Amino acid sequence: MASGARRRKHEGSKLFAVIKTGGKQYSVAVGDTITVMTLEGNPGDRVTFDRVLMLSQDGEPALGTPFVDGASVAGQIVEQTRGPKAIAFKKRRRKNSKRKHGHRQDLTLVRITEFLTSGVESSVGTAPSE
């Protein structure tokens, strides 16, 4: 999905945030499931993202410098998984030399449950669990 399409998806919702984790930024709303770099924990454990770059509530964005003070995003680990296999194959012609390496990145699926501002839960509440 293109980043522009993802941005348009959140325009109709009243509350969304931009968080930073694993060196990447994610635009999230309550109920979204995102794939992030590996986080410690088991499925069902609760995680908190305190690096909130922007928090939009009722069309009023709060921009951080670099992070929004007192804002955090809570989520629940859905699954510890691995990405698709990436194969790096190198061949040197006429030298009878070749090398093949494979790599699978460890990933964590997280469902966003609520936004916390100044340590108080948002009025949105929690997402329905499946």
Side-chain angles (χ1 to χ4, degrees):
M1 176 188 310
S3 63
R6 181 173 298 164
R7 193 175 308 120
R8 279 184 253 118
K9 179 179 81 171
H10 294 309
E11 282 180 2
S13 66
K14 296 182 184 242
L15 187 63
F16 76 95
V18 177
I19 61 171
K20 181 177 182 179
T21 180
K24 297 179 180 70
Q25 297 177 8
Y26 301 90
S27 177
V28 297
V30 174
D32 286 354
T33 302
I34 59 174
T35 303
V36 298
M37 293 294 147
T38 304
L39 298 173
E40 295 294 322
N42 297 319
D45 288 353
R46 188 177 162 103
V47 293
T48 303
F49 302 102
D50 55 352
R51 293 179 158 199
V52 179
L53 300 170
M54 186 185 90
L55 187 65
S56 176
Q57 191 168 2
D58 296 327
E60 296 294 325
L63 300 174
T65 54
F67 305 115
V68 179
D69 292 330
S72 62
V73 175
Q76 183 179 16
I77 295 177
V78 176
E79 180 184 12
Q80 298 285 1
T81 185
R82 300 181 80 190
K85 187 160 193 168
I87 297 174
F89 181 76
K90 295 184 179 181
K91 181 177 186 332
R92 293 163 194 89
R93 48 187 203 148
R94 295 184 304 272
K95 297 190 178 10
N96 195 22
S97 173
K98 55 189 171 184
R99 184 176 71 190
K100 181 178 176 181
H101 285 286
H103 173 75
R104 291 186 70 187
Q105 185 68 41
D106 293 327
L107 303 171
T108 302
L109 268 76
V110 178
R111 181 182 299 116
I112 304 300
T113 56
E114 61 192 355
F115 295 125
L116 306 170
T117 54
S118 302
V120 180
E121 286 189 20
S122 67
S123 59
V124 174
T126 60
S129 59
E130 295 177 13

